Amino acid sequence: MKNKKKIYTLGPKGSFHHLSCVEYLGGQQEIEFCESFGGIFEAVRAGHLGWIALYNSLAGIVENHENEINKNFTLLDEMDYEVKLCVSAAHGTKLKDLEKIYSHEKAFGESKRFINEKLSKAELINCPSTSHAAEKVAKEKMQNSAAICHAETAKFYGLDILANIPNKRKNETSFGLFAS
């Protein structure tokens, strides 16, 4: 990319926003993290670029910010990123022992069949993102808790992958790069 502007996306590191942005850019160039879509919009208004999820092939619209982008910004490019979810936990944890599963509500929706078949007794606890879930599970190191996240996110936080969650249909999220 010739433009030296920073790209703002949702964090923390290891989020689907982060992983897809790294793939789009071909590396870690100038990525900054925000805790909300509003923070990304503010950064773009200040002259930077924004990278956000627009649509998921299984769960639908990620957030309803299409009107915001169309009204106030210019969508420069889009990229589809394959969503591969897994169940990850601290070393030594067994899938059969899980009592709590942390993740983002969209990831729970995308994993509904697997959860119903394999984890139906576990309590589902919403987090701001799948990377927040992995970070929490990594810090707590509890043997009865796990996160649903991307395998790269699990590796980033030093978690073991207990199971890959199969997709019956292709699971992709469209991400958009936009400017003011």
Side-chain angles (χ1 to χ4, degrees):
M1 216 175 193
K2 294 177 185 173
N3 195 329
K4 295 293 182 188
K5 294 179 181 181
K6 291 182 181 177
I7 296 179
Y8 284 76
T9 194
L10 287 180
K13 286 185 178 182
S15 68
F16 279 100
H17 280 81
H18 176 227
L19 297 173
S20 63
C21 191
V22 168
E23 182 175 304
Y24 178 81
L25 295 172
Q28 298 278 346
Q29 312 152 335
E30 299 298 319
I31 299 172
E32 296 289 333
F33 298 104
C34 295
E35 288 293 318
S36 69
F37 290 114
I40 297 170
F41 293 140
E42 286 178 34
V44 173
R45 283 186 190 97
H48 297 286
L49 299 171
W51 181 259
I52 58 171
L54 302 170
Y55 184 83
N56 177 269
S57 61
L58 297 181
I61 294 172
V62 175
E63 293 285 333
N64 194 10
H65 36 243
E66 186 176 356
N67 289 337
E68 174 84 16
I69 292 171
N70 289 337
K71 184 177 169 185
N72 299 310
F73 303 107
T74 301
L75 188 62
L76 303 173
D77 201 5
E78 288 185 60
M79 180 188 92
D80 290 337
Y81 184 77
E82 187 173 3
V83 175
K84 297 177 183 176
L85 296 170
C86 70
V87 179
S88 60
H91 183 69
T93 304
K94 305 284 186 231
L95 194 66
K96 65 180 178 63
D97 297 331
L98 294 177
E99 295 174 10
K100 294 179 181 180
I101 309 293
Y102 296 89
S103 197
H104 187 269
E105 64 183 326
K106 293 290 184 181
F108 284 137
E110 294 164 22
S111 307
K112 189 175 182 178
R113 174 180 267 162
F114 182 88
I115 291 168
N116 289 339
E117 290 174 3
K118 307 280 186 191
L119 303 168
S120 62
K121 294 180 182 175
E123 177 185 4
L124 305 181
I125 302 167
N126 283 324
C127 291
S129 70
T130 57
S131 52
H132 280 99
E135 183 177 43
K136 179 174 183 57
V137 169
K139 284 181 182 175
E140 290 183 2
K141 297 181 183 174
M142 295 170 51
Q143 298 296 305
N144 64 349
S145 297
I148 291 178
C149 61
H150 192 287
E152 288 300 315
T153 306
K155 290 176 191 173
F156 181 80
Y157 287 103
L159 299 172
D160 290 349
I161 297 172
L162 306 183
N164 288 307
I165 299 173
N167 293 325
K168 297 295 180 187
R169 295 180 296 163
K170 193 162 191 151
N171 186 2
E172 291 182 328
T173 297
S174 296
F175 287 87
L177 179 70
F178 65 102
S180 59

